[in-house]
Amino acid sequence: MVESACELTGAPFGALSVFDSGEFIRFADAWAEPPPEDESRVVPIRLRGRIFGMLYLARKPDGEEFTEAEDDLLVALTAAAGVVIENAALFDQVQRRERWLEASYHVTGALLTDQDLTATLHLIAERARVVAGGTAGAVALPSGDGQLVFEIVEPPGPDADKLAGVAVPT
């Protein structure tokens, strides 16, 4: 989006900030933080009626102001970006729901069959890890002294080694 905005308007460089993350995403290493308004053209990116972020474009090298047509292009570009961002977020939600449903299906199937309990617990830990997008998934079992101990950790590896055997209060 930043590249397109620069090409359409003749701005030498631009940047994008996203408010939810608090992160200022630089473009062309031009600014380390959002520039003052007198050095840039600032256009909000709206998502569902709220401002999602801001598009910053550097003033033109010749000092010329942005034209009304360029301003209209920037408004249209940021509106399209808002739609794309919203669609991406909805797509992500759908994929997350699909992962939950698939995990639920597999875990339910394992619980309803006479599958080995340890294998079922490993399946639960692995499916929870995948759905949550984590590096490790675990199941803590009661140890009898008011503690839970992480005994089942998936997948094996450095993250699992850090978590396996850790006790937490019930």
Side-chain angles (χ1 to χ4, degrees), residues 11-12 31 37-41 57-61 64-66:
W31 293 301
E37 286 198 30
D38 63 343
E39 293 180 21
S40 64
R41 175 74 169 108
L57 295 178
R59 293 280 179 208
K60 295 181 181 182
E64 185 181 331
E65 292 293 320
F66 291 100

Side-chain angles (χ1 to χ4, degrees), residues 57-165:
L57 295 178
R59 293 280 179 208
K60 295 181 181 182
D62 57 9
E64 185 181 331
E65 292 293 320
F66 291 100
T67 66
E68 188 175 324
E70 290 169 333
D71 284 340
D72 290 344
L73 280 171
L74 292 174
V75 168
L77 182 64
T78 56
V83 170
V84 169
I85 293 165
E86 185 171 356
N87 286 343
L90 291 172
F91 182 71
D92 185 54
Q93 286 176 349
V94 167
Q95 285 187 316
R96 199 172 325 125
R97 283 188 190 125
E98 285 178 7
R99 287 191 303 267
W100 274 108
L101 287 172
E102 182 181 347
S104 200
Y105 169 79
H106 287 286
V107 168
T108 301
L111 291 170
L112 292 176
T113 63
D114 285 335
Q115 187 170 335
D116 176 58
L117 178 60
T118 302
T120 300
L121 292 176
H122 279 278
L123 174 69
I124 291 170
E126 178 60 18
R127 293 299 173 170
R129 180 195 69 79
V130 170
V131 169
T135 57
V139 176
L141 301 174
S143 68
D145 59 353
Q147 302 254 335
L148 296 172
V149 178
F150 289 100
E151 293 184 22
I152 308 292
V153 185
E154 283 292 329
D159 291 328
D161 294 343
K162 291 176 195 172
L163 194 53

Side-chain angles (χ1 to χ4, degrees), residues 23-47:
E23 185 176 344
F24 179 69
I25 302 167
R26 294 183 296 166
F27 176 72
D29 293 325
W31 293 301
E33 57 185 41
E37 286 198 30
D38 63 343
E39 293 180 21
S40 64
R41 175 74 169 108
V42 183
V43 184
I45 301 165
R46 297 184 187 279
L47 185 65

Side-chain angles (χ1 to χ4, degrees), residues 47-63:
L47 185 65
R48 295 186 196 167
R50 67 178 178 81
I51 295 178
F52 174 81
M54 301 295 264
L55 171 65
Y56 302 88
L57 295 178
R59 293 280 179 208
K60 295 181 181 182
D62 57 9

